[in-house]
Amino acid sequence: HETEKEYHNICGRILSLNLNLERTLNFFLSNYFVYPQDHKTFVLEDFLIDSNFRKRIELFKEISKREIEYKNEPFNEEETKKLVNLMIKVGEVRNRIAHHQLDYDLKTGTIRLNKGKSIIKEEENITINEELVKDMEEKVQVALKGIMDLHRKIIEKRMKR
C-alpha cells in the first residue's frame, strides 16, 4: 500500500534525524566531562546512550545554567534555551511517532498520529507528511549547529589555558 510506505518512509527519516541529534548531544556531554578524549570518554558516552533523551537534555540545560552562573563565556542563556527547546520539540515528535496510534483520514487522505483516546482534540494530532520532515530537519540542523558551535568554543577556551 503506497500510503503505508510513505508513512514508514517519513517516520524513518524523522527517527534518523532524532538519532543524529541524540548522538551529537552524547558527544557533547561526554567530551564536556572527559577531555581530552580517552577510554573514559567512551565509557561515559555508552552510559549516556542508555539514559533517557529528556534526561540528557536536562543535563545539557543544567550544565548551561551553571556555566552561565560562573560566567563561562561560551555559554549564552538565550542560545542554550533555544537549543534545549529545539531538542525537546524533536524528542516529542519522535516519542509520538514511536508511541501514538496511526490514523488514516479517508476524507482528506492524510496520515495522522493521535493518542488513541476516544475524544481527540485536533491540536493533539500530528500529521505525518513531508512538511513535518522539513520542519524536523530545520530544527535538528539548528540544534546540531548550536551544540557543535558550543563544543568548539569550549575546546578553544580549554586550549588557551
Side-chain angles (χ1 to χ4, degrees), residues 87-150:
M87 289 188 281
I88 288 170
K89 287 177 184 173
V90 170
E92 286 172 349
V93 171
R94 177 257 172 235
N95 287 343
R96 291 185 73 181
I97 286 172
H99 303 291
H100 286 190
Q101 181 177 324
L102 172 64
D103 178 33
Y104 181 70
D105 188 333
L106 294 171
K107 290 182 225 168
T108 62
T110 58
I111 304 168
R112 297 180 303 189
L113 295 171
N114 65 55
K115 291 183 178 182
K117 295 180 180 178
S118 55
I119 298 174
I120 302 165
K121 297 176 186 168
E122 190 57 40
E123 64 271 9
E124 290 178 342
N125 286 328
I126 183 170
T127 302
I128 303 297
N129 57 23
E130 285 297 324
E131 190 176 311
L132 179 62
V133 174
K134 286 180 183 151
D135 182 50
M136 289 296 100
E137 285 173 340
E138 289 171 11
K139 283 178 172 56
V140 168
Q141 288 305 315
V142 171
L144 292 175
K145 183 181 181 328
I147 292 168
M148 293 311 293
D149 285 350
L150 186 55

Side-chain angles (χ1 to χ4, degrees), residues 27-38:
F27 172 82
F28 173 87
L29 293 171
S30 60
N31 281 276
Y32 176 82
F33 288 110
V34 184
Y35 183 84
Q37 284 187 351
D38 63 19

Side-chain angles (χ1 to χ4, degrees), residues 12-64:
R13 288 163 56 201
I14 291 171
L15 293 174
S16 181
L17 288 166
N18 188 81
L19 183 59
N20 191 11
L21 179 57
E22 284 192 50
R23 285 182 176 158
T24 302
L25 182 58
N26 291 350
F27 172 82
F28 173 87
L29 293 171
S30 60
N31 281 276
Y32 176 82
F33 288 110
V34 184
Y35 183 84
Q37 284 187 351
D38 63 19
H39 69 283
K40 291 182 242 168
T41 312
F42 303 108
V43 170
L44 181 58
E45 198 164 325
D46 288 346
F47 175 77
L48 289 169
I49 287 170
D50 291 334
S51 70
N52 178 305
F53 183 49
R54 188 64 177 246
K55 292 240 185 254
R56 287 178 269 165
I57 294 170
E58 289 301 316
L59 179 56
F60 177 85
K61 184 177 173 181
E62 189 62 29
I63 288 167
S64 301

Side-chain angles (χ1 to χ4, degrees), residues 50-81:
D50 291 334
S51 70
N52 178 305
F53 183 49
R54 188 64 177 246
K55 292 240 185 254
R56 287 178 269 165
I57 294 170
E58 289 301 316
L59 179 56
F60 177 85
K61 184 177 173 181
E62 189 62 29
I63 288 167
S64 301
K65 184 177 117 186
R66 289 180 186 214
E67 291 289 351
I68 290 165
E69 285 173 7
Y70 293 121
K71 308 274 189 268
N72 283 342
E73 206 168 291
F75 288 86
N76 172 297
E77 188 172 3
E78 190 176 307
E79 278 299 308
T80 53
K81 191 175 191 178

